[in-house]
Amino acid sequence: MGTRLVAIACVLLAGTAAVVLAAAPERTGSHAAGFSPETVTVAPAAFEHVRPGEYLHASGRPTRAPRIHVTARNPVEIMRYQVTLGEYARCVDAGACKPADGRGPMDAPVTGVSHIDAAAYAAWMSKATDETWRLPTDEEWAQAAAEKFVPDVEPAEEDPDNPARAWLSSYSREAALGRKADPVAKPKGTFGTNSNGVSDLAGNVWEWTSTCYVRVTLADDEGSVSEVENCGVHVVEGFHRTYMSNFIRDGKSGGCAVGLPPDNLGFRLVREQPGFLGRLKASLGRS
Amino acid sequence: MITRREALIGAVTAAAAAAAVSFPAAVHAAPEGAEGLPRHKVELVAPPFVHAHDQVAKTGPRIVEFTMTIEEKPVVIDDEGTVLQGMTFNGSIPGPMMVVHEGDYVELTLVNPETNEMPHNIDFHAATGALGGAALSQVNPGEQVTLRFKATRTGTFVYHCAPEGMIPWHVVSGMSGTIMVLPRDGLKNEKGEPLRYDRIYYVGENEFYIPRDADGNFVSFESLGESYADTLAVMRGLVPTHVVFNGRVGALTGENAMKAKVGETVLIVHSQANRDTRPHLIGGHGDYVWEEGKFANPPAKDLETWFIRGGSAGAALYTFLQPGVYAYVNHNLIEAVELGATAHFTVEGEWDDDLMTQVRAPAPIPGM
């Protein structure tokens, strides 16, 4: 009889837990902490992607980045908009973020922020919501950006005997992009929405990712002979993909050899899906 | 704020003073040298290009006729949209480059349209007397004047506007250019052997002093006159906000990069009407450089960086040896990168591995 009571109690407990788990955690996480980030859940997708970084052939000459087939298994929950000046200001007020260099309306994306600033905001937001918010990887950003994703500007031609051909080719391709300067941060939504419902991609704010710069020497079969990662530099996505040092807040110091450098540096975050234990924890005792 | 009336009254006083000192403007004695000489009219072109000319004179001395129309206009000088209330010769900053030969006469008609606010004139550093011609070329809006001077010295020389009471302001608003007086038999090296260029580019460097508001943003003024007092305050601090080639940040980059080919010899004329600079061709050299810009002096050779003193123009000759992208900068690198003093050359041709080669590509350090 004792075991039967215990068994019934276990079933009841499990049932209660299931009910509690199934209920939307409205009193917990982002909303409880006063955040209301609109997010878009991008379904797992398979797509062609250009690997980020710089690539050398085993012979030592620069070569094109390998094209890979990405099969993302997980959905990506990404902020619909870039983090705004108003949102970032809360982190500054909390003493967890340095004031941004950019100015503008509170509902415009925060600009004049470095990779270090973006990571600080993500850490603060994660702590405040007890969720995991972080910068997207280059692949996650590409998955979310879909048709709006643009890889590095690559040279149209290369010549193993003449390194200048690639330099001149990259130079003229960047110049031909004909991008007009657009330095003023605009209210969120200004740059439209893509096929996934994500807004303001590849506008005048270039976005930090969590992917480090890497230099790879490739074997003939495009397997790596060596890889040297430099996490002092991260991949930045926008009008085209580029790389910037972590402490840089002002795009003009890099990004393109010629033509216009990134107008503004900003970011958006992804929310990692919690595991079972995370969901359980979220539903019990958080308010 | 300076009103048009104040500006013009100041000009009239200056012109009267100048007229009292030199011979009255209305009279012109017929110079025996110029009488009967053939005339040649030149259509000026916008920098960095230079009008077509012979390096070795094919005729005897002649009167070379130029016309420049002064245009006051707001110009955007950087990618943030900063506006300079500009004053220009022929609508460009710098003004166009003129080329004549030693012994020629330069006859300039200077037009100041009614639409302008300010009086203007011109001081040719190549000329002799009358403040370089400034005292004999004052024009108020609605007037034009014709000045002739004999090109007696060879070299590259600055010209600039110089109206009494506002000289530096006109210069740092964009009103300068260059005239090159070639030896009649062309350029020569230290041994007297001929030096010839396949291409010529004129890089005019200007620095600007744009006022900022209380928030630190650059101010856009409604008119030239309204910009004067605040601009003068920044000028007096002697620290420019912009140092640019061809009138704006990035003007000679991208689609507007200067072009050359391996094996071509290029003459780069560089002027700075107001402030010292030190040009450097990154990846190249100055094979022959007339730093002070005067061809009676033999050129210096194999320079890495040359010095153009403020108020002058110099010339550097270089034969490109490698293809690629070159940056041509004012080698105060802060001014080059942060303030805008960078231009690019794109050079096509074959790579010379003997001059430079990458022996081993970047790779992980062994043993790490």
Side-chain angles (χ1 to χ4, degrees), chain B residues 327-366:
Chain B
Y328 176 80
V329 300
N330 164 347
H331 210 288
N332 176 321
L333 296 169
I334 303 162
E335 295 175 15
V337 174
E338 296 294 325
L339 301 188
T342 299
H344 293 151
F345 279 89
T346 55
V347 180
E348 305 267 349
E350 293 309 308
W351 181 261
D352 183 344
D353 249 1
D354 188 47
L355 282 177
M356 183 183 291
T357 190
Q358 187 181 64
V359 174
R360 246 179 305 281
I365 301 166

Side-chain angles (χ1 to χ4, degrees), chain B residues 223-244:
Chain B
S223 76
L224 194 48
E226 283 176 47
S227 71
Y228 176 63
D230 290 348
T231 303
L232 188 64
V234 182
M235 286 160 58
R236 288 180 64 85
L238 293 173
V239 178
T241 57
H242 298 74
V243 182
V244 299

Side-chain angles (χ1 to χ4, degrees), chain B residues 288-313:
Chain B
Y288 296 96
V289 185
W290 294 265
E291 245 185 350
E292 306 107 324
K294 306 305 168 282
F295 301 134
N297 305 302
K301 290 164 66 172
D302 294 337
L303 299 192
E304 73 189 276
T305 299
W306 38 105
F307 183 68
I308 306 289
R309 64 209 59 196
S312 78

Side-chain angles (χ1 to χ4, degrees), chain A residues 13-26 28 276 279-280 282-284:
Chain A
L13 259 178
T16 312
V19 165
V20 170
L21 280 173
E26 277 158 9
T28 67
F276 171 80
R279 290 200 293 279
L280 182 59
S283 66
L284 296 171

Side-chain angles (χ1 to χ4, degrees), chain B residues 102-113:
Chain B
E102 183 182 9
D104 285 342
Y105 291 80
V106 176
E107 191 169 287
L108 170 74
T109 298
L110 189 64
V111 182
N112 188 0

Side-chain angles (χ1 to χ4, degrees), chain A residues 214-259:
Chain A
V214 64
R215 196 206 305 265
V216 180
T217 302
L218 295 170
D220 281 317
D221 61 355
E222 291 201 337
S224 296
V225 170
S226 67
E227 288 198 15
V228 180
E229 217 182 25
N230 176 4
C231 287
V233 175
H234 276 84
V235 174
V236 172
E237 315 279 5
F239 189 78
H240 64 79
R241 185 171 62 189
T242 188
Y243 310 89
M244 308 224 34
S245 293
N246 297 348
F247 53 86
I248 297 295
R249 295 179 133 202
D250 179 352
K252 83 163 193 301
S253 65
C256 315
V258 72

